[in-house]
Amino acid sequence: DAGVIQSPRHEVTEMGQEVTLRCKPISGHNSLFWYRQTMMRGLELLIYFNNNVPIDDSGMPEDRFSAKMPNASFSTLKIQPSEPRDSAVYFCASSFAAAGGRDTQYFGPGTRLTVL
Amino acid sequence: QKEVEQNSGPLSVPEGAIASLNCTYSDRGSQSFFWYRQYSGKSPELIMSIYSNGDKEDGRFTAQLNKASQYVSLLIRDSQPSDSATYLCAVKTGNTGNQFYFGTGTSLTVIP
């Protein structure tokens, strides 16, 4: 299994530019999670999808952030316009939400975003 | 109150010693508990999961769960320098679908 795939691995952009991060979950998984990790705030859940439907986006910091999951094998996280405080590592994770709650999240390699 | 709390450390132990990492959680309805290891610059990697009270052993790792006291711990026996990493505790609560809550992590350094 290829695991969770994220692209790009590194992104450097200037303030005000649009940034799109991409994620391909593990085949067969039905839940997808977007996290942001910084030294100050640790790992924060931004949004998660179940069967391609957004379930909880309360962690999305502001309207500049949006996420979509058009099908079971692809998701995007978009920041428009980007700001320096958005600089962080963004992780995508996926899981298979089985009955009884015994599902496990597997993380992608992350995208390191730097906004100048 | 945070859903999941960990001592951020840093925790330093000599090589060969037992490292003990602790985590507490707030939701009594929590069902599933996980320990992830994260090396610097890498993504979190699952090392243990536990669902029932008691101990679960996997090689040098033992996870301990006490639902009455709402804590979960990870013991690493015969610690090796390669165990030096940040360890994240994650809890799947009982009332929020399949959302996981992560602690802020404990930084462990194993000194050769």
Side-chain angles (χ1 to χ4, degrees):
Chain A
D1 197 326
V4 177
I5 298 172
Q6 290 186 247
S7 65
R9 295 292 306 276
H10 302 273
E11 176 81 24
V12 180
T13 190
E14 292 187 348
M15 183 174 62
Q17 297 298 306
E18 178 179 295
V19 175
T20 300
L21 311 181
R22 297 173 176 80
C23 175
K24 176 179 170 57
I26 292 173
S27 178
H29 282 190
N30 57 5
S31 294
L32 183 141
F33 305 79
W34 282 101
Y35 292 91
R36 177 173 67 177
Q37 188 174 44
T38 61
M39 289 293 292
M40 291 296 293
R41 300 174 68 90
L43 196 63
E44 301 175 277
L45 176 67
L46 300 177
I47 185 172
Y48 81 93
F49 296 83
N50 195 35
N51 294 320
N52 311 339
V53 177
I55 302 299
D56 185 352
D57 65 354
S58 60
M60 297 286 262
E62 2 182 325
D63 291 345
R64 299 184 296 108
F65 286 69
S66 62
K68 294 181 179 179
M69 192 166 186
N71 57 62
S73 59
F74 183 67
S75 177
T76 59
L77 177 68
K78 186 175 293 186
I79 307 173
Q80 167 63 19
S82 58
E83 297 183 3
R85 59 192 169 121
D86 301 331
S87 298
V89 180
Y90 290 80
F91 288 108
C92 176
S94 72
S95 72
F96 178 72
R102 297 193 176 192
D103 53 312
T104 301
Q105 288 191 16
Y106 296 91
F107 282 76
T111 296
R112 182 173 296 275
L113 174 65
T114 302
V115 183
L116 303 174
Chain B
Q1 181 185 4
K2 292 183 179 179
E3 294 280 349
V4 179
E5 301 218 34
Q6 294 181 253
N7 187 329
S8 62
L11 175 65
S12 294
V13 299
E15 184 174 355
I18 295 175
S20 178
L21 307 166
N22 300 309
C23 170
T24 58
Y25 59 93
S26 61
D27 184 355
R28 284 194 172 274
S30 297
Q31 304 170 343
S32 309
F33 308 85
F34 307 87
W35 283 100
Y36 286 79
R37 177 177 62 199
Q38 186 175 24
Y39 292 115
S40 179
K42 301 295 185 181
S43 59
E45 170 193 15
L46 179 73
I47 54 172
M48 289 285 286
S49 60
I50 186 166
Y51 307 102
S52 305
N53 277 329
D55 295 359
K56 179 181 178 182
E57 187 175 319
D58 184 0
R60 296 186 295 111
F61 298 96
T62 299
Q64 299 174 318
L65 175 61
N66 184 324
K67 290 187 177 181
S69 300
Q70 295 176 241
Y71 85 79
V72 58
S73 62
L74 179 70
L75 300 178
I76 306 174
R77 291 182 301 281
D78 188 23
S79 296
Q80 301 296 309
S82 59
D83 296 325
S84 298
T86 296
Y87 289 80
L88 300 168
C89 173
V91 175
K92 181 177 174 180
T93 64
N95 60 353
T96 53
N98 57 336
Q99 182 174 342
F100 286 47
Y101 290 91
F102 282 83
T104 54
T106 298
S107 175
L108 171 68
T109 300
V110 180
I111 304 168

